[in-house]
Amino acid sequence: MEFHIILCFLFVALTAVSSEDDGQVVFVKELSSKPAQKLSRYGWFGSARLQRFVIPEDAAVARWRFTVTKGHSFPGFCGEHNVTIHIRWGAPPVVNPVGQMFPNDTAWSPAHSLHLPVTSQATATFNLSDPSPGDWYVAAHLPRDDGRIEQKGFPSCSYYFQPQLSIRRAVDTPILQPTSGLPQAAAPDRPARLKLFVPEFVSSLSVSLTDCHSQTDPGEGACPLVLRLGSASALKEGLVTVNCSTNGCSVTLLAPPWHTWLRVVVESNRDNHTVTFNVSSNYTVSCKPQSVGLSPDIIATHGNNSNGNATLAGNRTAAAEGDPPGELSAAGALSPGCVWDVPVLAEELDVLSVRFSPASGPNVSVARSNPTLLSYPLHTLTSGGTLSLQLTLNTTSTSLGNSSSVAACLSPWAPVRGLSGSQPCQTALFPGYRLHVNSSSPKAVIRLPFPQAATWYLSLQLTCNSECGNVSVVSVVPEVSVSACVEDCGTYGECRLLRSNTYLYAACVCKAGWSGWGCTDGSAALSYGRQVTATLLLTLSNLLFLPAIVVAARRCYVTEASVYLFTLFFSTFYHACDQPGVAVMCIMDYDTLQFCDFLGSVCSIWVTLLCMARVRDTLKYTLFVLGALLIAMSMQLDRRGLWNMLGPVLCAVLALVIAWVYRGVRRRHCYPPSWRRWLLYLVPGLLCALVGVCVYIFAETEDNYLYTHSVWHVLVALSVVFLLPPRERSREAWGWSRGWAGSWSPRVCGYTLCHGSKEELYTVS
């Protein structure tokens, strides 16, 4: 019902047109909502709940509404918690709330963050004018994980996060053509909105405001207008603002973003002032290469070459006079007086795995006169990985002097104009990342976690402090790739693929005390000795089941002894395989070991309680088999569920109580009748079991897990030794032969010799 109401509301919002008229622009409203998700304490990036929103073109205002609701719990049990919300455009936010270390050569920028204190329910809003179109990502999490291991099914503090987005979008924004001016009017509550398209290879763009007149005060010579170019991200990147104070103003963008719509907003900064003006634009194209062809043999080469190496064939453009000959001309198509454009081949190897390579070979020629340009398109499906660039100077063919180096700039949306001198590695709206290689440092590496989904450009140029000498062209090897995680998270980490609806991203989960974005921070790492100690404690503590196996076998409980032996074996090797460090030994698949460990643990409790109930053998073994099958089914459904353990335990306890009450009522005295049995066996066994359960549920943390879980093994094994009932009189009379041969009775002269089979339970001999 609620879903249909939301659909109707969205339909009305999308088709309704606002009554106000901002000049020629009409606005509509769009809404989107995501389902509520349970928040977790932050331990690694997988703890954050990620949601993706899409903002369309011509969106004037975006308004997020974040709602955090506390789940059902005891009053005052949870207190107040701070929920942190991160917002980023173009890629998921890089979250680092605990100040963890990043791998070497990693560049990242923090996202816009909000902190929302929550007691029972809290709501926060985030408004953004002129938001950048495309994908926006919202991540939320609770404070840092305290390391306590919460057993599934027990009461805990749960918080649910639900984001909603409402957009006010212009449906008929005027297009600003570069040929002629366009008359417009702007008021404080009705700004003029326009857009212009920036094609590829544009080196500069200018927007001018002229003929500024105030309709409220025609004699005033000032021009109270504010000109904004671009769209806003959460950190105010991608936006240029200019205050116009005279009759007109203009702004020029060097290296504007290519192949995109650029937003132009003009508003009056004075109350009750409506200003008319003319707006015009112009751009310069100085980096457009000449056309090249693609012959059929190149297509065949690309199709049959699995490793991505290809040769560039087809039309070539000649180098301009004075440009380096030969080697550089083969590197790509020359744009006269601007850049050398090198074609790049992209290979999709796997999920979040893309490799880029120059189509003409690994070596790329770089000159001093003209920059060399390579482009790397990154789509939305690759923004959840890590973009890596390794630039290596080829020192075998050419040697550079101490004053010479190759400068590189990796920038999104557009390349930089040049790298000589002190020119910054920055485009008109977005910053870039600068690298240098020379003879003393022939290799440079940079890694960008969660890169923006855009076309990235690598600009290369040979720079010299004084003279380059005889060197005019050098070769470098740019290796660009997108991988799921940084160096596959190293030795003490695991790269995990995560999913938010249809969006895939990856992050590292660290082990053995290591931390950081790439599991490279070893400040709190476990030593090798501690890892070995943890493995030995968790495995050798299972040897306490040996006394239980011996006691069960001596008392002719062969089936129970087999279950304890099964538990001993698989618990030992499961914990040997479950270790976070390098002291690990897995004799079979991890999932199989875990399943058998959980199954054996619950079945041990099940058979022990049924053995204490002293029901008839036929019924007991039937319950053994039926319980084992049901426990196996429940373990397959959810191994860590609370009722998967409590269900069999409560059923067995119920059978035990019914059997004991029945015998007590029938014999008219307490059962078991011996106080020594209660004092020396039952009470110590119950105490061991109770203390073990309390340690398992309430005391375990990630730091003390090796000690507390080992204590759990010891206490459970000791409780079995104490709780197992003594041998039945019938088994005691016939020993092992009765256990294996069944109910055999000797026959003398055609008569069967009968023996007393009355059960005296829990008598201490």
Side-chain angles (χ1 to χ4, degrees):
M1 183 65 182
E2 295 179 357
F3 178 76
H4 294 290
I5 294 176
I6 293 175
L7 285 180
C8 295
F9 182 68
L10 289 175
F11 178 78
V12 173
L14 288 172
T15 55
V17 179
S18 61
S19 59
E20 54 182 311
D21 185 12
D22 283 346
Q24 298 179 351
V25 179
V26 179
F27 293 91
V28 296
K29 187 177 182 180
E30 299 179 1
L31 301 176
S32 61
S33 178
K34 301 295 182 181
Q37 289 184 318
K38 185 179 179 180
L39 295 177
S40 300
R41 289 185 174 273
Y42 186 83
W44 61 297
F45 190 79
S47 307
R49 297 295 175 259
L50 185 68
Q51 296 284 8
R52 180 167 67 104
F53 293 89
V54 179
I55 292 184
E57 293 280 354
D58 303 328
V61 178
R63 183 176 185 267
W64 277 274
R65 185 175 185 267
F66 305 117
T67 303
V68 179
T69 306
K70 187 182 71 172
H72 299 288
S73 61
F74 299 106
F77 178 71
C78 298
E80 183 179 275
H81 285 78
N82 287 325
V83 176
T84 306
I85 305 170
H86 308 270
I87 306 171
R88 189 187 177 197
W89 167 63
V94 180
V95 177
N96 189 25
V98 294
Q100 294 178 337
M101 181 184 299
F102 280 80
N104 295 331
D105 306 314
T106 301
W108 66 285
S109 57
H112 183 78
S113 300
L114 302 174
H115 298 280
L116 182 60
V118 180
T119 302
S120 59
Q121 183 175 0
T123 303
T125 58
F126 176 68
N127 298 323
L128 189 63
S129 300
D130 302 320
S132 299
D135 296 328
W136 284 76
Y137 297 84
V138 176
H141 60 84
L142 290 171
R144 184 175 183 174
D145 190 5
D146 55 3
R148 188 169 66 91
I149 299 176
E150 295 183 355
Q151 303 301 329
K152 188 175 181 180
F154 282 90
S156 61
C157 296
S158 58
Y159 295 88
Y160 295 88
F161 172 72
Q162 183 176 22
Q164 295 176 325
L165 174 64
S166 60
I167 299 171
R168 189 169 183 257
R169 180 174 64 88
V171 295
D172 51 359
T173 304
I175 299 177
L176 181 60
Q177 301 292 344
T179 55
S180 59
L182 187 65
Q184 291 288 307
D189 57 341
R190 292 183 301 172
R193 300 182 180 274
L194 306 97
K195 63 179 181 180
L196 60 91
F197 185 76
V198 183
E200 287 187 274
F201 311 110
V202 171
S203 59
S204 64
L205 170 70
S206 61
V207 176
S208 302
L209 301 182
T210 58
D211 299 333
C212 180
H213 299 286
S214 175
Q215 295 181 355
T216 306
D217 191 0
E220 184 180 5
C223 187
L225 294 177
V226 177
L227 172 62
R228 294 200 303 268
L229 296 183
S231 303
S233 67
L235 290 179
K236 303 303 180 183
E237 293 178 352
L239 189 65
V240 175
T241 303
V242 176
N243 290 318
C244 301
S245 57
T246 59
N247 190 27
C249 62
S250 64
V251 60
T252 300
L253 302 181
L254 302 179
W258 287 359
H259 197 68
T260 185
W261 287 96
L262 191 66
R263 188 173 302 165
V264 180
V265 178
V266 183
E267 61 182 5
S268 175
N269 56 8
R270 290 189 182 181
D271 297 336
N272 302 323
H273 273 63
T274 300
V275 182
T276 60
F277 57 91
N278 286 332
V279 58
S280 60
S281 66
N282 188 21
Y283 59 78
T284 303
V285 177
S286 60
C287 297
K288 190 173 183 179
Q290 298 181 6
S291 299
V292 296
L294 187 64
S295 60
D297 57 335
I298 291 297
I299 299 176
T301 302
H302 284 207
N304 298 329
N305 199 334
S306 60
N307 58 12
N309 295 327
T311 56
L312 183 65
N315 297 332
R316 294 276 193 232
T317 55
E321 183 179 357
D323 287 331
E327 183 182 1
L328 187 57
S329 298
L334 174 67
S335 178
C338 190
V339 298
W340 296 91
D341 189 17
V342 180
V344 175
L345 177 65
E347 295 178 281
E348 295 186 5
L349 305 177
D350 203 344
V351 179
L352 294 179
S353 180
V354 182
R355 181 175 61 190
F356 298 94
S357 57
S360 57
N363 290 303
V364 173
S365 299
V366 180
R368 184 182 183 185
S369 57
N370 302 94
T372 301
L373 180 63
L374 299 92
S375 58
Y376 306 97
L378 298 185
H379 305 290
T380 301
L381 297 180
T382 58
S383 62
T386 300
L387 176 63
S388 301
L389 166 62
Q390 177 176 306
L391 188 65
T392 306
L393 178 65
N394 189 351
T395 58
T396 58
S397 59
T398 306
S399 59
L400 286 177
N402 296 328
S403 61
S404 303
S405 64
V406 175
C409 179
L410 183 64
S411 58
W413 298 101
V416 296
R417 297 188 62 192
L419 296 172
S420 60
S422 59
Q423 287 182 315
C425 177
Q426 184 172 356
T427 61
L429 301 179
F430 303 98
Y433 303 92
R434 195 179 188 98
L435 297 90
H436 288 277
V437 290
N438 50 37
S439 56
S440 59
S441 300
K443 183 182 292 186
V445 179
I446 188 172
R447 301 181 180 91
L448 304 177
F450 297 155
Q452 276 191 344
T455 300
W456 289 74
Y457 297 91
L458 178 62
S459 303
L460 303 168
Q461 192 168 9
L462 177 62
T463 60
C464 305
N465 293 335
S466 56
E467 294 292 335
C468 290
N470 297 326
V471 178
S472 59
V473 179
V474 296
S475 296
V476 296
V477 180
E479 300 178 40
V480 180
S481 63
V482 175
S483 58
C485 298
V486 178
E487 296 182 353
D488 204 21
C489 302
T491 306
Y492 294 96
E494 178 185 355
C495 184
R496 293 188 181 179
L497 189 64
L498 308 172
R499 182 177 67 87
S500 174
N501 296 325
T502 59
Y503 180 75
L504 297 177
Y505 58 104
C508 291
V509 55
C510 306
K511 54 187 179 181
W514 289 74
S515 60
W517 190 263
C519 300
T520 56
D521 186 1
S523 58
L526 300 178
S527 63
Y528 181 74
R530 182 177 173 83
Q531 296 178 35
V532 173
T533 302
T535 303
L536 293 178
L537 278 177
L538 291 170
T539 54
L540 297 182
S541 60
N542 289 283
L543 296 180
L544 267 294
F545 268 98
L546 288 176
I549 296 172
V550 173
V551 171
R554 286 181 60 86
R555 297 179 182 178
C556 299
Y557 298 124
V558 181
T559 304
E560 291 83 347
S562 302
V563 174
Y564 302 151
L565 180 61
F566 180 90
T567 304
L568 165 65
F569 179 83
F570 281 102
S571 180
T572 299
F573 286 100
Y574 165 67
H575 286 289
C577 184
D578 189 47
Q579 295 308 303
V582 294
V584 180
M585 185 182 70
C586 298
I587 63 172
M588 60 180 66
D589 181 66
Y590 175 83
D591 187 71
T592 303
L593 291 173
Q594 186 187 62
F595 174 81
C596 293
D597 173 56
F598 282 58
L599 176 64
S601 301
V602 181
C603 284
S604 297
I605 302 174
W606 172 256
V607 299
T608 302
L609 293 175
L610 289 180
C611 183
M612 294 172 60
R614 284 291 181 89
V615 296
R616 293 185 178 273
D617 288 350
T618 303
L619 178 60
K620 182 176 73 171
Y621 294 125
T622 302
L623 292 177
F624 278 3
V625 176
L626 182 61
L629 294 176
L630 294 177
I631 292 170
M633 179 195 67
S634 63
M635 289 296 134
Q636 184 64 28
L637 293 175
D638 186 6
R639 296 173 193 174
R640 300 187 181 275
L642 173 64
W643 289 102
N644 290 341
M645 178 177 290
L646 286 184
V649 170
L650 293 179
C651 291
V653 169
L654 180 62
L656 174 65
V657 171
I658 292 176
W660 283 11
V661 170
Y662 172 76
R663 286 187 176 89
V665 172
R666 183 179 179 183
R667 300 183 181 185
R668 299 183 181 278
H669 58 74
C670 182
Y671 187 86
S674 174
W675 64 269
R676 294 178 181 176
R677 184 68 191 174
W678 283 95
L679 182 63
L680 300 179
Y681 294 94
L682 293 181
V683 172
L686 292 175
L687 287 178
C688 288
L690 182 61
V691 173
V693 169
C694 292
V695 170
Y696 178 78
I697 295 176
F698 303 108
E700 281 190 356
T701 64
E702 294 181 358
D703 295 332
N704 65 11
Y705 177 79
L706 70 161
Y707 305 111
T708 54
H709 203 75
S710 300
V711 171
W712 155 258
H713 289 165
V714 173
L715 293 176
V716 169
L718 290 178
S719 67
V720 171
V721 174
F722 283 111
L723 294 177
L724 270 179
R727 185 173 3 187
E728 299 178 19
R729 287 297 180 88
S730 58
R731 297 174 185 256
E732 188 174 326
W734 299 101
W736 284 88
S737 62
R738 179 173 178 84
W740 290 101
S743 57
W744 175 82
S745 298
R747 298 176 64 86
V748 177
C749 299
Y751 294 94
T752 301
L753 297 181
C754 300
H755 59 273
S757 59
K758 182 179 179 180
E759 297 178 350
E760 291 294 340
L761 301 183
Y762 295 101
T763 57
V764 180
S765 56

